Amino acid sequence: MSLPHAILTALLEKPSSGLELTRRFDKSIGYFWSATHQQIYRELGKLEAEGHIRTLPSEQPARGQKKRYEVLPAGRAELARWTAASQEPKPHRDALLLRLRAAAVVGTAGLEGDLRRHLDLHRRQLTEYEEIEKRDFPPDKDGRQDRLRHLVLRAGIDLETFWTQWLTHALNEFADLPAEEADGGRGE
């Protein structure tokens, strides 16, 4: 996914200012594609220069007034092209997993506490996603757009469920590990 496509998606859902986009990213799209305020504004300028979006005319022009943007037909066509294009899955890169692998040769000092911290963070994120699901996706909310948005949220719920289960398993493994050898487990 790319930031321009995330912005086009958000603007098609609702024309917005850069600040409104930033807030919406923090509350929804940012869960799976984050961007800073500066990145969003920079990308808005590029999208406008490419003819994919335009600034909405202001009802009362005033100095310092927020620009609001909407998607033009070329932007909608670009988003449709990108959505339909085939894309290869990206390999998963996670520093925590690499640190566990490294712990096998240098020792586990400090790692168990960080696993507990990660577990707590993933549990909190899972709770937040489940609350969003209860609030925003009741059983009678069955329209096409709602079902697709719910699928995205379900991916988040399923990923957080995976991480909480895996981290719980990892901590159980830590509890059963034999004491570390003086050579840090290198077997020398």
Side-chain angles (χ1 to χ4, degrees):
M1 182 175 190
S2 69
L3 182 54
H5 299 104
I7 290 172
L8 288 170
T9 300
L11 288 175
L12 278 169
E13 291 173 345
K14 179 182 177 187
S16 304
S17 69
L19 182 59
E20 291 167 337
L21 279 173
T22 299
R23 289 180 180 151
R24 288 174 55 210
F25 264 68
D26 289 344
K27 293 180 183 175
S28 62
I29 292 175
Y31 286 120
F32 55 91
W33 193 265
S34 62
T36 67
H37 186 74
Q38 292 83 5
Q39 289 171 317
I40 290 171
Y41 273 94
R42 189 170 37 249
E43 205 56 53
L44 284 169
K46 290 178 187 175
L47 288 167
E48 192 169 25
E50 293 167 353
H52 290 173
I53 64 172
R54 73 175 182 135
T55 304
L56 286 169
S58 175
E59 294 171 10
Q60 297 177 347
R63 183 179 163 104
Q65 185 175 7
K66 292 186 248 180
K67 286 184 184 180
R68 296 187 73 235
Y69 299 91
E70 72 175 352
V71 177
L72 294 171
R76 180 181 283 276
E78 168 53 23
L79 187 60
R81 181 210 59 78
W82 179 78
T83 301
S86 178
Q87 193 172 35
E88 295 300 315
K90 302 281 186 221
H92 181 74
R93 294 173 58 177
D94 191 298
L96 180 61
L97 298 177
L98 182 56
R99 289 171 56 215
L100 276 170
R101 179 71 182 253
V105 292
V106 298
T108 60
L111 202 47
E112 185 174 359
D114 204 37
L115 288 171
R116 291 186 191 290
R117 186 179 68 81
H118 278 253
L119 178 57
D120 183 54
L121 292 170
H122 285 287
R123 281 181 175 155
R124 281 191 269 156
Q125 190 64 64
L126 178 58
T127 298
E128 186 174 343
Y129 284 163
E130 289 171 339
E131 288 170 0
I132 292 169
E133 183 178 43
K134 286 177 192 168
R135 181 189 70 223
D136 294 349
F137 297 101
D140 62 332
K141 202 168 189 178
D142 202 16
R144 177 185 164 86
Q145 288 183 352
D146 291 323
R147 290 177 70 180
L148 291 173
R149 288 180 182 128
H150 192 197
L151 270 176
V152 175
L153 179 63
R154 281 303 320 172
I157 289 170
D158 292 347
L159 283 170
E160 295 304 330
T161 299
F162 162 78
W163 280 112
T164 56
Q165 291 173 349
W166 182 84
L167 286 159
T168 300
H169 176 75
L171 285 164
N172 288 336
E173 284 292 321
F174 260 69
D176 290 342
L177 288 176
E180 290 191 48
E181 299 166 13
D183 65 2
R186 291 187 300 269
E188 294 175 355

